Amino acid sequence: MEKSGISSEDIIKLDICGERTTATRSVLTQAENSYLAAKFSGRWDHTHKVQHGHVFLDFDPYCFKKILSYLQSRSIEEPDHPAASPVIAAEHEAQFNQLVLHLLLEDFVGLCGMRFLAESINEHVRVLDNGTALRFDAPSGAVGMALLAPAMQSGEPYYLRCKIQCKGTGTGDHLLLGVTSRSCPTMSRIHKEDAGWSGPWRGLNDTTWSTIPHWLGWQEAEQYLFKVDLLANILTVQISESQQVFRINIHRAPTCPMFFFMSCGMLGTIVKLLPVLSQDIQDFEGV
């Protein structure tokens, strides 16, 4: 029930650090229990900081306007035509995610950048930190496996930065990172459209997975920056400390989407996704 004098169709004037826009109260409050729902419910209107008739919000304009645009799309979406997720420039991803969490909208808007797909994860792995980290808890002889979302289509390159923490060991002591065309991969066999790199693993002998001269395997505390180019069909990894760069061809059908893929047999290993910065992308353009 609407409070007296307050309507869901009220027009709220907003000033986001100098950039002005408007939205209906219903759009701003549709995500229950969020910061915006509480702020614009009408109960606390008298506490708003108002400048020239606009409610002032001390948020990054780019990130907030992306969120607002998505909220507007969600308010008119239909079951057969859901609102598209926000597309965020790589250099704004970390700040966007921080604002989404601050506004308590992570379950409504979602976080940008690659995240671990819960439905693709088997019983030997555990998702941490809102999908940005994965802990492999495979017992001896077992393998933990996971995919990342979103699926990658031909177009602009995809980037992923991660850091590896090796906390334990297991049979084979392997770690595979790469791309796959399969939404539910298993390690019973390596598929011809899988491509990537492996650390030490006794028993894996397949030329699809690159054997690199002088490759020392994945090193703890190193950061790895991946670039997936599905126009050129090339997967590239750059190692932060040594600045080494390795490439491998991706063999796939032209319209086939790809997933970033991880498999591990080392108990306690944690893979943490890190924000991709604009400088990372610029660095890749020079290699």
Side-chain angles (χ1 to χ4, degrees):
M1 179 181 297
E2 295 181 351
K3 300 180 179 64
S4 177
I6 295 174
S7 169
S8 61
E9 296 311 307
D10 287 343
I11 304 299
I12 310 296
K13 298 179 180 179
L14 303 172
D15 181 336
I16 306 100
C17 285
E19 294 193 19
R20 294 182 175 180
T21 189
T22 59
T24 61
R25 193 184 298 273
S26 61
V27 164
L28 293 169
T29 60
Q30 64 185 295
E32 296 181 2
N33 302 317
S34 69
Y35 172 98
L36 295 177
K39 185 174 182 66
F40 293 104
S41 65
R43 181 179 302 178
W44 311 110
D45 280 5
H46 64 285
T47 67
H48 292 166
K49 184 176 181 180
V50 178
Q51 292 187 348
H52 306 293
H54 289 69
V55 179
F56 180 79
L57 297 177
D58 192 15
F59 301 139
D60 175 77
Y62 173 91
C63 295
F64 185 82
K65 289 169 74 173
K66 286 287 188 178
I67 292 171
L68 180 58
S69 177
Y70 178 74
L71 293 177
Q72 291 167 333
S73 296
R74 279 290 297 264
S75 70
I76 60 172
E77 71 178 356
E78 298 177 1
D80 294 335
H81 298 90
S85 298
V87 178
I88 309 301
E91 62 268 25
H92 291 285
E93 284 189 354
Q95 194 169 17
F96 177 86
N97 288 340
Q98 184 180 36
L99 182 56
V100 167
L101 293 170
H102 176 75
L103 298 177
L104 304 177
L105 288 170
E106 61 269 28
D107 293 330
F108 196 83
V109 176
L111 300 174
C112 69
M114 287 194 174
R115 294 292 181 271
F116 290 104
L117 265 175
E119 59 267 28
S120 74
I121 295 170
N122 68 11
E123 68 274 18
H124 302 310
V125 293
R126 184 158 53 96
V127 180
L128 308 170
D129 300 336
N130 293 304
T132 64
L134 200 69
R135 178 185 173 92
F136 292 90
D137 289 321
S140 180
V143 175
M145 308 189 61
L147 298 178
L148 287 89
M152 297 176 287
Q153 308 280 352
S154 295
E156 293 297 316
Y158 291 79
Y159 297 88
L160 180 142
R161 178 183 286 279
C162 67
K163 182 177 181 179
I164 298 168
Q165 296 174 293
C166 301
K167 297 296 184 182
T169 60
T171 301
D173 293 350
H174 82 277
L175 177 64
L176 308 182
L177 283 82
V179 294
T180 181
S181 62
R182 297 168 293 158
S183 59
C184 296
T186 67
M187 287 310 300
S188 59
R189 60 186 293 270
I190 299 297
H191 193 270
K192 66 179 181 180
E193 292 183 351
D194 295 345
W197 294 274
S198 68
W201 184 19
R202 298 181 295 273
L204 178 64
N205 291 304
D206 192 293
T207 55
T208 303
W209 288 81
S210 180
T211 302
I212 302 172
H214 313 300
W215 180 250
L216 299 178
W218 307 105
Q219 300 295 307
E220 184 173 8
E222 287 270 30
Q223 290 187 22
Y224 299 89
L225 179 63
F226 293 86
K227 176 182 178 181
V228 183
D229 186 342
L230 295 183
L231 288 178
N233 285 325
I234 295 176
L235 173 64
T236 307
V237 62
Q238 182 180 58
I239 305 172
S240 60
E241 296 297 324
S242 65
Q243 293 297 300
Q244 289 177 289
V245 176
F246 300 104
R247 295 181 179 85
I248 189 172
N249 292 326
I250 301 171
H251 303 284
R252 70 182 187 103
T255 60
C256 181
M258 304 293 286
F259 292 89
F260 203 90
F261 163 60
M262 296 184 183
S263 171
C264 184
M266 293 185 287
L267 181 66
T269 295
I270 296 175
V271 178
K272 173 67 176 176
L273 304 182
L274 303 173
V276 177
L277 308 177
S278 58
Q279 187 61 49
D280 295 329
I281 298 173
Q282 294 173 18
D283 290 345
F284 250 125
E285 290 177 352
V287 298

